[in-house]
Amino acid sequence: METVLFVGAGRHQRRAIAQARARGLRVVAVDRNGDAPGLAEADVAELVDFSDVDAVVEAARRHEVDGVLTVSADRAVPVVAAVAERLGLPGIGTATAYAMTQKIAMRRRLAEAGVPQPQFAAVRTIHEGHAALERVGFPAVLKPADSGGQRGVFRLESADDLDAHLHAALAESPTDEAIVEEFVDGLELNGLVIVGDGEAIPLTLSDRLRPPGIGFGVGWIHVYPATIYGDQLDEAERVAVHAVHALGLRNGIAFPQLLATPDGRVRVIEVAARIPGGQMADLARHATGVDLVEVALRQALGEDVPDEAARPQFKQPLAIRFLTAAPGPLPTGRVKAIGTLEKVLAFPGVVQAELYLSVGETIRPVRLDGDRRGYVIAIADTNLEALERAEAASKLVDVVTE
Ligand SMILES: Nc1ncnc2c1ncn2[C@@H]1O[C@H](COP(=O)(O)OP(=O)(O)O)[C@@H](O)[C@H]1O
Ligand SMILES: [Mg+2]
């Protein structure tokens, strides 16, 4: 029996671990948190802090794993690559893993390859920050160089905003580094690209809508297919594939994040080398019939990914509405009671819905990815009708706060 190692065993990994086992694989999972839900699902659970690569390598050797992967955890991507390299297993390589998780390294690579992207500068000190703003102008975006999930991401309107937020952005970076970028106004697009033997095949491109205000970076609605068309749609696919090649990914799943601007251009925000979180794998499954976890398992084991596993089987318009506080459908405050999702799931077109919330927790205004407390996925004949359905169904969620 073949064995795969999952690096990280949180909520996102749990289902993938179950799927790997159902497919007849033996699963070893590592996480530093003994309560991580994926550990209970695995054949072998190891309490290992995966930031300690040697410890993960040791566990991988001891259990004679044939492949290593993660799902949705950006911090695990360099670890997976390093473990694979050390054990001679299939992987994306540590250089590519670095370029696809460290925002400054990524921007430098993309710049060398001529991939369109915002102006940027690396920042470690307040002095460098002010110099960066001179180059980049206002509005700007400040973010940690190596974090994720919108932690420590700020929009800057003035030099005072830099003084106010630089500390918080640097604090989210394990290497105390931040990046300042030109703020690009436009429609955000999420791509999914499957890369095999150096050939990048775009799978989906969808709108990622965001709330106004402080949570400006949080994806709270996905709409498939994307609402751009014609030349800009072609350009978005071209830029996504160009970026993936520029970053050196030859086998893997890429998650390009783009901005489509009103002048018809497209700029790259970042490209991750993993299955995205935030229900993007569900999006791929419902919208195209492609199972990203199956693709990732095959790639981790060095198996061939046949065309029928990597190419869209169909094109089903859909929308995903995340459940958040205002302007989303959830109330803020301490949760007193949670109803069932029965009415939501019975709504026309709804194919999947979930609420991750328990009584006594506090729902806060939207600021981070983590403030999304559930989602509703609806399908329809058109993307906009799917969005209307997901919106309407999400209003049927019963949560009472005090
Ligand atoms: N230069 C930019 N211009 C406009 N919006 C941006 C820019 N950089 C980031 N954002 C917004 O912030 C979000 C998070 O930024 P990103 O670089 O993807 O960091 P993270 O690793 O936290 O996902 C993006 O998805 C986008 O909505
Ligand atoms: Mg991102």
Side-chain angles (χ1 to χ4, degrees):
M1 191 189 273
E2 283 188 301
T3 302
V4 286
L5 170 67
F6 273 78
V7 177
R11 188 166 57 80
H12 278 112
Q13 279 95 21
R14 190 183 57 81
R15 258 197 223 151
I17 290 172
Q19 187 175 332
R21 292 193 65 205
R23 189 185 179 279
L25 296 167
R26 175 172 167 261
V27 175
V28 179
V30 298
D31 202 294
R32 67 168 176 202
N33 170 12
D35 294 328
L39 290 181
E41 203 76 49
D43 295 281
V44 181
E46 291 269 353
L47 275 185
V48 173
D49 183 342
F50 70 64
S51 59
D52 181 352
V53 174
D54 289 339
V56 183
V57 168
E58 190 278 321
R61 282 222 170 91
R62 194 154 32 83
H63 296 293
E64 300 182 6
V65 309
D66 303 292
V68 48
L69 77 161
T70 189
V71 173
S72 308
D74 214 47
R75 275 186 321 116
V77 169
V79 181
V80 169
V83 172
E85 221 164 69
R86 295 258 292 271
L87 296 181
L89 298 172
I92 66 173
T94 46
T96 293
Y98 184 68
M100 296 188 79
T101 51
Q102 217 280 3
K103 291 176 170 42
I104 296 162
M106 186 180 320
R107 290 255 178 262
R108 290 188 176 136
R109 281 256 207 135
L110 295 176
E112 280 164 19
V115 175
Q117 61 175 349
Q119 294 279 353
F120 70 98
V123 171
R124 285 186 177 279
T125 62
I126 196 79
H127 181 74
E128 285 177 1
H130 287 286
L133 285 172
E134 302 257 304
R135 269 186 47 200
V136 165
F138 292 105
V141 177
L142 166 69
K143 17 186 201 189
D146 40 11
S147 182
Q150 282 78 68
R151 282 182 293 269
V153 176
F154 299 94
R155 184 180 144 122
L156 308 180
E157 308 291 344
S158 68
D160 286 351
D161 286 348
L162 176 75
D163 297 343
H165 300 307
L166 181 61
H167 182 75
L170 290 173
E172 291 291 348
S173 161
T175 56
D176 287 317
E177 203 166 1
I179 182 168
V180 167
E181 296 179 359
E182 170 193 0
F183 177 87
V184 180
D185 212 355
L187 173 68
E188 186 160 355
L189 301 171
N190 277 353
L192 285 169
V193 177
I194 297 178
V195 198
D197 293 329
E199 194 199 348
I201 304 169
L203 181 65
T204 60
L205 201 59
S206 48
D207 291 3
R208 177 183 189 272
L209 307 182
R210 299 167 284 163
I214 188 160
F216 75 94
V218 178
W220 73 344
I221 292 172
H222 295 298
V223 180
Y224 172 86
T227 56
I228 56 166
Y229 49 87
D231 290 347
Q232 195 168 31
L233 180 59
D234 294 343
E235 173 71 356
E237 289 202 342
R238 195 190 61 76
V239 167
V241 167
H242 188 188
V244 166
H245 287 314
L247 296 169
L249 188 68
R250 294 194 49 80
N251 281 292
I253 293 169
F255 172 41
Q257 299 151 52
L258 312 171
L259 280 165
T261 51
D263 60 1
R265 294 171 58 201
V266 172
R267 246 76 66 79
V268 173
I269 302 176
E270 65 170 350
V271 189
R274 56 177 165 83
I275 295 179
Q279 266 51 58
M280 285 297 290
D282 291 328
L283 183 147
R285 194 160 46 82
H286 291 296
T288 69
V290 170
D291 180 344
L292 292 181
V293 171
E294 174 63 20
V295 173
L297 286 168
R298 282 174 178 270
Q299 288 175 329
L301 292 166
E303 287 174 18
D304 202 41
V305 182
D307 258 12
E308 59 273 20
R311 306 236 181 212
Q313 306 295 303
F314 46 78
K315 249 185 118 169
Q316 170 64 60
L318 65 75
I320 304 179
R321 178 55 161 115
F322 287 97
L323 302 176
T324 68
L330 297 181
T332 48
R334 233 172 84 92
V335 178
K336 226 167 61 181
I338 305 168
T340 71
L341 287 177
E342 222 169 298
K343 279 184 286 178
V344 177
L345 289 164
F347 196 86
V350 171
V351 289
Q352 194 179 331
E354 221 183 318
L355 191 61
Y356 13 91
L357 203 58
S358 40
V359 171
E361 272 185 88
T362 301
I363 304 177
R364 283 179 306 268
V366 197
R367 152 106 235 260
L368 303 173
D369 264 7
D371 298 322
R372 305 185 295 200
R373 311 313 300 264
Y375 61 87
V376 176
I377 306 180
I379 59 172
D381 289 341
T382 68
N383 51 4
L384 296 184
E385 193 189 344
L387 177 56
E388 276 171 24
R389 285 176 163 184
E391 287 277 17
S394 74
K395 297 204 173 91
L396 303 175
V397 173
D398 255 337
V399 173
V400 183
T401 53
E402 54 191 3

